[in-house]
Amino acid sequence: MTATVRSPGAGDLYPTRVPGSAAPFRRRHPVVWHKAAEGPLSSGQLDAYDRDGCLTFDALLSAEETAACLEETARLTADRSLRDSGRVVPEPDGNGIRSVFEVHALSGTFREIVHSDGLAGIAHQILGSDVYVHQTKVNLKSAFDGSGFGWHSDFETWHSEDGMPAPRALSLSIALTENAPYNGPLMIIPGAHRTFVPSTAETPPDYHHTSLQGKNLPAGPANRAVVTALARELGMRQFTGPAGSVVAFDSNSLHASAPNVSPFPRTNLFVVYNSVENTIGTPYAAPRARPTYLASRTFTPVPRPAHYGG
Amino acid sequence: MTATVRSPGAGDLYPTRVPGSAAPFRRRHPVVWHKAAEGPLSSGQLDAYDRDGCLTFDALLSAEETAACLEETARLTADRSLRDSGRVVPEPDGNGIRSVFEVHALSGTFREIVHSDGLAGIAHQILGSDVYVHQTKVNLKSAFDGSGFGWHSDFETWHSEDGMPAPRALSLSIALTENAPYNGPLMIIPGAHRTFVPSTAETPPDYHHTSLQGKNLPAGPANRAVVTALARELGMRQFTGPAGSVVAFDSNSLHASAPNVSPFPRTNLFVVYNSVENTIGTPYAAPRARPTYLASRTFTPVPRPAHYGG
């Protein structure tokens, strides 16, 4: 696949959701922002993340921490007062819960984990600056009925709908239950984070009311011919691991996951760290900004681990 | 999980689709019918099949054969005269084709493969008798949109809707494209073929008009609590392999597969051999028999390979 560089519109280096205009182009920003930065990752790990847009960790959370997160998830999903807050997203068929957003604001357990050095330190090092929490959620992906996620770049959404200027953000997908090959684990096309794939449809008003369920998506999904070409060229990775294992991935990674038809739930915590030098503003391609439980507008840095120095 | 043995109704050793009556019970027939039978399988392979209800083969079809099958599949799915024959089952969302049935009657290529010693010899040996072809189909499971199959035992359907007396039948799932962990491959609970899991709903009239699409299934799907208990006890296998690889599995195996959200189609040929001593009759639990393109009522034996003797 040949990536084409387009002339950017004024101030918008990643034009997308422009009807009829969809040629993919090369990412305009780094992936690893300061290769010499101190932190938990070796230079080999930084190189791998730079190349693939993703990196795995065997056990960043303890068994006690994942158990506590699952307990908190059960508490939050049972809390009927949250149902109308928008934070609790039902499954598209109406049976069960697909996601709970902003869990770090709803639970001290999640807040502590999200702010821990073990997790935030990875983001500090890769993004080369202080970071803040852009979004958190738990995707429940229940046994038998848990729905999937089609091919997309998170940055394409955050740029369009939240006003994130550049792909200087990073997600951690943290297994709270085992992620097996058969219960809908994360898939990434390694290396596709170097290509920005514009979407061809305009963002409908209040799009998040339906888009978070993953059905009837005019805007956001990556062009299928482009996904196919990139996957043929670059391959495919599917991430499996026990509870406590983690995948860190670039905000512009092309990723998806299958529905879960197995009898084992696949429940993951997602944490998105954004650079404090990349704070969000006016949406680039949406009528209005999304609620802050989907895209925080409080840019308070996560405390920098002491050993990183000043 | 403790399997409970129920009193069978007169002449029906596998009562199912009786509202309110759903306790699972132990299979009442053998899995491997003649362990001393000659054939392509070693005694170790027969033991593994007996224990697990499934067995894999690396390359039973050549690259030329799988390519020819894919060409024939393309021809059959493009043939508009077949669309109203019932043999071509659309995807539940109406986009694309989910399955094509009775391919061995529609194509000499498929017929030759289905009747080949390399495939039928496995069925001969395990079922311990001459065999005939009960059903064939190609499941296309297209890239991005290919739908999945929920947990079920094929025998539960063939017994209820086709009048198959005993689980003395065997399926081959033959990869025509690579079956990867991420494109919706077959999952089986190994050992669950020893347990019969009755369904609790009566078979609606002309059920195959909707059931083959896999949506809104009152009758047929295995009870979820039972599936969960069996999977916790026995584990889970997901079968991957290149084009030409094969999984043989018992007609009462509990199996399922996820939808395919990957950019790579997962297209498999399914061939069901039944023992000539187990020919089908009046359905045990359905208003009327299904069409013969779903359940053959021509019981002509596949020619027995010469080296098996008389």
Side-chain angles (χ1 to χ4, degrees), chain A residues 61 65 103-105 107-122 124 131-134 136 172 174 269 271-273 296 298-306:
Chain A
L61 259 56
E65 285 172 313
V103 290
H104 71 297
S107 157
T109 300
F110 284 118
R111 182 181 171 80
E112 200 170 299
I113 286 168
V114 165
H115 285 192
S116 67
D117 291 356
L119 302 191
I122 296 168
H124 271 126
V131 299
Y132 71 95
V133 178
H134 174 66
T136 61
L172 299 182
I174 303 164
L269 167 64
V271 183
V272 183
Y273 299 102
S296 174
T298 305
F299 307 130
T300 314
V302 176
R304 182 173 281 228

Side-chain angles (χ1 to χ4, degrees), chain B residues 232-300:
Chain B
R232 283 191 184 142
E233 180 193 341
L234 299 167
M236 176 77 69
R237 286 217 198 135
Q238 192 193 47
F239 296 94
T240 59
S245 63
V246 174
V247 185
F249 61 102
D250 179 83
S251 60
N252 191 47
S253 286
L254 267 178
H255 63 291
S257 66
N260 181 14
V261 306
S262 89
F264 303 111
R266 179 267 191 181
T267 301
N268 281 27
L269 168 63
F270 284 82
V271 184
V272 183
Y273 299 102
N274 189 23
S275 167
V276 294
E277 298 170 16
N278 191 42
T279 56
I280 66 178
T282 307
Y284 287 86
R288 92 171 62 114
R290 299 195 299 176
T292 55
Y293 60 79
L294 300 176
S296 175
R297 290 181 182 269
T298 304
F299 307 129
T300 315

Side-chain angles (χ1 to χ4, degrees), chain B residues 92-160:
Chain B
D93 65 2
N95 294 320
I97 289 168
R98 176 171 160 97
S99 306
V100 183
F101 279 87
E102 205 183 28
V103 291
H104 71 296
L106 300 172
S107 157
T109 301
F110 284 119
R111 180 179 172 80
E112 201 169 299
I113 286 169
V114 165
H115 285 191
S116 67
D117 291 355
L119 301 192
I122 296 168
H124 271 125
Q125 191 179 3
I126 288 173
L127 303 179
S129 72
D130 277 331
V131 300
Y132 72 95
V133 178
H134 173 66
Q135 184 190 80
T136 61
K137 64 176 169 172
V138 172
N139 283 337
L140 281 88
K141 210 172 262 198
S142 310
F144 297 108
D145 284 325
S147 57
F149 293 79
W151 291 96
H152 67 288
S153 145
D154 290 330
F155 172 66
E156 194 281 335
T157 293
W158 300 336
H159 184 70
S160 300

Side-chain angles (χ1 to χ4, degrees), chain A residues 216-235:
Chain A
N216 307 323
L217 298 176
N223 180 280
R224 289 181 169 190
V226 176
V227 171
T228 304
L230 286 167
R232 282 191 184 142
E233 180 193 341
L234 300 167

Side-chain angles (χ1 to χ4, degrees), chain A residues 111-193:
Chain A
R111 182 181 171 80
E112 200 170 299
I113 286 168
V114 165
H115 285 192
S116 67
D117 291 356
L119 302 191
I122 296 168
H124 271 126
Q125 190 178 5
I126 287 173
L127 302 178
S129 71
D130 277 330
V131 299
Y132 71 95
V133 178
H134 174 66
Q135 183 190 81
T136 61
K137 65 175 168 172
V138 173
N139 283 337
L140 280 88
K141 209 172 262 198
S142 310
F144 297 108
D145 285 324
S147 58
F149 293 79
W151 291 97
H152 67 288
S153 145
D154 291 329
F155 173 65
E156 195 280 335
T157 293
W158 300 336
H159 184 69
S160 299
E161 302 185 30
D162 299 336
M164 184 182 286
R168 192 174 178 179
L170 169 153
S171 296
L172 299 182
S173 174
I174 303 164
L176 301 181
T177 62
E178 183 187 356
N179 281 221
Y182 46 73
N183 65 355
L186 180 68
M187 295 183 274
I188 289 181
I189 300 173
H193 64 305

